Amino acid sequence: MISLVVPSLRPMLVSGARTCGTSTASSTSIAALPLRLLQFRNRDGTGNPRVGAQLADPANRHSLAAHGEIVDVTASAPTIGRDMKKLLESGRTGQQAVIQAIESGKHRLDIDNVQLCAPILNPPKIMCVGLNYRDHCAEMKFQLPKEPTVFCKLSNALAGPSDDVIIPPETVELDFEAELAVVIGKKGHRIPVTEALSHVAGYTVAHDVSARDWQLKKNSGQWLLGKSFDGFCPLGPVIATPAMLSDPGNLGIRSRVNGVTMQDSNTNQMVHKVDTIIAFISRFVTLVPGDVILTGSPAGVGASRVPPVWLKKGDVVECEIDEIGAVKNSFV
């Protein structure tokens, strides 16, 4: 087991509260701590999901070098840390619980001996933004949208970072889309753009699996059904807090199908940045801790290719974002 050398988190908390690339975090929130937050079960898939945390390497907090050890936050603080949504809702109390769990030196597990789940299992909302990468708009021959194109996925679409995804018989045009997902950490309505990033708990990787026939050709052109089949939103492997990332607005993002790179871009290609997206969506709905917002996918999707490339049984898709990690799912 690779053991974490655990310095006090108090100095990291002070530095983590500063502006981090395009992200700012309140010093009273978990977002200010340089952590990777996750949910996990026993390796054999048994037991209730638990919340865990990985501490950043003090020498390079943006590195994805192996951190073999996780802290079982649920074991340390069973009331506050029983699930990720509850932890995010608890604000400063949750922050202190995570600090105490890490600094105690107890409840350590080897990450290779657990099964990772989606980092949040009960998001109140899964919001999405379409056509939000300049290169993707260009390949699809669409003009850049003046406002975010917002749609939803239903919560049944959620899947873990290594779960199998069942291909439903209703679709023959199944597509892949790697996306940066934002996890909300603080409640807000009509959030000003200048304050939007203070509502972010962290960032994770999403695979916006899309049945293009049901998204674009059927159901009167409404996107919901084509985006919301069971398992159509693999998420994970962790929630990287803003303090963990060099700049969420400048991260490499890519997807691979059976090992072949299909998408290879950067989050700097976004038409509408994260702060604009949060401010826009919060004009219509109140955002609460645990909400997930998918921020769009770059060029290279299957629908844009000639001929189109549709997923089939036996395919393995990996969606990856620098400094956060990857989800890798088999289609069955």
Side-chain angles (χ1 to χ4, degrees), residues 71-141:
V71 180
D72 187 339
V73 176
T74 301
S76 177
T79 301
I80 296 172
R82 68 175 181 263
D83 66 58
M84 190 67 70
K85 180 172 175 287
K86 176 69 174 177
L87 184 67
L88 296 178
E89 288 172 340
S90 61
R92 184 173 181 82
T93 302
Q95 182 199 72
Q96 295 302 312
V98 172
I99 290 175
Q100 291 170 12
I102 291 174
E103 293 185 343
S104 73
K106 301 176 182 178
H107 308 298
R108 302 305 174 90
L109 299 169
D110 191 318
I111 197 168
D112 292 332
N113 291 331
V114 302
Q115 181 185 101
L116 294 184
C117 310
I120 184 162
L121 293 171
N122 52 348
K125 295 184 283 295
I126 304 175
M127 309 290 289
C128 310
V129 180
L131 302 173
N132 197 39
Y133 275 69
R134 297 175 185 278
D135 52 4
H136 181 47
C137 289
E139 73 173 353
M140 300 296 286
K141 297 180 174 57

Side-chain angles (χ1 to χ4, degrees), residues 264-285:
D264 191 0
S265 189
N266 192 290
T267 57
N268 63 21
Q269 286 288 306
M270 283 188 191
V271 179
H272 302 290
K273 308 302 183 184
V274 170
D275 53 358
T276 300
I277 291 169
I278 291 172
F280 181 80
I281 291 176
S282 73
R283 288 168 51 190
F284 305 93
V285 298

Side-chain angles (χ1 to χ4, degrees), residues 105-266:
K106 301 176 182 178
H107 308 298
R108 302 305 174 90
L109 299 169
D110 191 318
I111 197 168
D112 292 332
N113 291 331
V114 302
Q115 181 185 101
L116 294 184
C117 310
I120 184 162
L121 293 171
N122 52 348
K125 295 184 283 295
I126 304 175
M127 309 290 289
C128 310
V129 180
L131 302 173
N132 197 39
Y133 275 69
R134 297 175 185 278
D135 52 4
H136 181 47
C137 289
E139 73 173 353
M140 300 296 286
K141 297 180 174 57
F142 287 124
Q143 292 186 344
L144 299 182
K146 295 180 179 179
E147 294 179 324
T149 303
V150 178
F151 62 97
C152 295
K153 282 180 174 280
L154 300 179
S155 59
N156 60 285
L158 200 66
S162 59
D163 289 351
D164 289 347
V165 178
I166 297 173
I167 298 178
E170 287 78 11
T171 181
V172 294
E173 296 182 355
L174 193 61
D175 209 347
F176 49 88
E177 296 188 86
E179 306 207 11
L180 176 71
V182 179
V183 180
I184 297 298
K186 186 172 69 173
K187 183 178 180 180
H189 180 58
R190 299 193 181 278
I191 302 167
V193 173
T194 54
E195 299 175 13
L197 294 179
S198 70
H199 290 257
V200 175
Y203 301 85
T204 189
V205 181
H207 182 183
D208 178 16
V209 184
S210 303
R212 298 296 192 191
D213 37 8
W214 281 93
Q215 177 192 357
L216 302 174
K217 300 176 182 178
K218 301 180 180 182
N219 196 37
S220 302
Q222 297 293 318
W223 290 16
L224 181 67
L225 292 182
K227 296 286 189 173
S228 294
F229 283 93
D230 291 350
F232 272 25
C233 189
L235 203 69
V238 299
I239 298 171
T241 61
M244 277 294 297
L245 302 179
S246 57
D247 182 354
N250 189 27
L251 296 175
I253 178 172
R254 60 198 64 85
S255 68
R256 291 180 282 269
V257 177
N258 302 325
V260 178
T261 299
M262 305 297 279
Q263 295 175 281
D264 191 0
S265 189
N266 192 290

